[in-house]
Amino acid sequence: MKAFGIASALLAATSFITSVAADVDPIVIKGSKFFYSGNGTQFFMRGVAYQQDISTNGSLSGSNKYTDPLADATGCARDIPYLVSLRTNTIRVYAVDPTADHSKCMSMLQDAGIYVVLDLSEPATSINRDTPAWDNKLYSRYTKVVDTFQKYNNVIGFFAGNEVSNNNTNTAASAFVKAAVRDMKAYIKASKYRPMGVGYATNDDAAIRADLASYFNCGSTSDSIDFWGYNIYSWCGDSSYSLSGYDQRTKEFQDYSVPVFFAEYGCNEVRPRKFTEVEALFGDQMSPVWSGGIVYMYFQETNNYGLVDVSGNTVSPRADYTYLSSEMASATPSAVSSGSYNPSNTAARACPTVGTQWQASSNLPPTPNSKLCSCMVSSLSCVAASGLSDTKVAELFGTVCGLGKNVCDGIAVNGTTGVYGAYSMCSSTDKLSFALNAYYQSQNSASSACNFGGNAQTQNAGQASSDCQPLLAQAGPSGTGTVSPSGTTGGTSTPTKTGAGSTLAVPSFDMGLLHVGAYVVFAMLSGAGMILL
């Protein structure tokens, strides 16, 4: 497409935006396909990743800063015509500020017929693959994003994680992501919001990709993903359906029970990118299995994946944009109607066996419950002193969890064995208070047992209120019981597994801008705790 061609397309796109209806038909899921809820037409994603200055594409960054593109009405007005010119009907946004005003951007996108898939996390508040947790802070963040965007009909759904487990050394983290999937699905249902999917975006690691796909699909439908996003970059340059491995990936998902799509694609090892994979993705071999995909990415940055250069209010399409525009112009997949579609691939996959290659238990962490944590702290006689630094909290965990056989059972968390204390979702300070109190009680409440160099203090344990009593009773004195969710948290709790001699990880917490996990590993030998710090 030459320069005048792009200009003509943009003019047509602008005219289209001003002429379409102000509302859009929500996208719904039936079997392994997406459909427009109103007319039953099958929906294929012709997507573009849309966000500047954020760690995406599986990369890591030392910065937790991000810019919410859906809160930038000027930027949306600038960019939407260029997206429409590409026949874009979906964008993926990796981090949003739930307190910001998104109404203008979401309205403009809706008027342009563009749907949105959102990641629930943000760089400073996400499930960390090395020190995974599913806690009250994360739950609060994720539910706020759902609350903010549920009112927009052009939201397809949410990713509960992006490439969290990315090799066979950190697969245990998937248990925490799947717990987030479970709880966000339950929250959407309990809140009586319209149906919106909750899924996961995976990388393409050969060692774990099959187990990942099975793990997030297995078990109860209330726990499993609603859709599966694949970040795949195997088609580079003038590759082919077979050379890229697309044929094998398609075969692997031909019987998957939920929609699958490319959550990111567009290898840049050969530039400019000609996007010849588009013909395959939307062609007869792949479209019966895949629901389209999302090109990475709109903005040109240092990683050289951009479709356009943006300077102020000026957008300059790159060669990649021109090639993609040409390919998308002829992307016409064969579709089925919702009414004539009777899914036969309804069976969930079997959960992978825990072993050396897969280390995530099917027993998931409990649903976060902020009320339970506050009730617990109020019931304690020995608590952490206020104002402790993260470093001091870590140091105290390393001390107190080695002072007694069961001191830290109530806050233990282990995604491999499926052992989780009832209070494992509480804040690091609350969990430390629980451990300090457990030790204090084991020492018959001796005054010297609640000091720890002035970092612990006694308090008058209050009489549990009527709403606290059942929660504390379910958790039990040692904090190893199963607590049914209550209050504002919603969802369904996973039973807590217990077992003598289990290896327990205790706990994870934030240290400054970095998410750091303090691991205390117990080996129960002759009733004594051995600490490995």
Side-chain angles (χ1 to χ4, degrees), residues 167-172 207-208 211 353-360 416:
N167 61 57
N168 61 11
T169 69
N170 51 40
T171 56
I208 62 171
D211 282 341
T353 301
V354 175
T356 56
Q357 288 296 311
W358 185 257
Q359 299 174 349
T416 299

Side-chain angles (χ1 to χ4, degrees), residues 382-402:
C382 178
V383 296
S386 60
L388 296 180
S389 67
D390 291 328
T391 302
K392 178 57 68 175
V393 170
E395 177 187 324
L396 290 168
F397 271 124
T399 299
V400 69
C401 288

Side-chain angles (χ1 to χ4, degrees), residues 48-97:
V48 176
Y50 183 72
Q51 187 146 27
Q52 286 180 292
D53 302 324
I54 191 168
S55 301
T56 55
N57 189 30
S59 62
L60 298 175
S61 171
S63 174
N64 287 327
K65 296 180 179 179
Y66 68 93
T67 300
D68 181 350
L70 301 182
D72 179 8
T74 300
C76 287
R78 175 198 64 207
D79 296 327
I80 287 174
Y82 289 88
L83 293 168
V84 171
S85 180
L86 290 172
R87 298 186 67 213
T88 302
N89 66 4
T90 308
I91 60 171
R92 178 182 178 184
V93 179
Y94 295 85
V96 293
D97 177 1

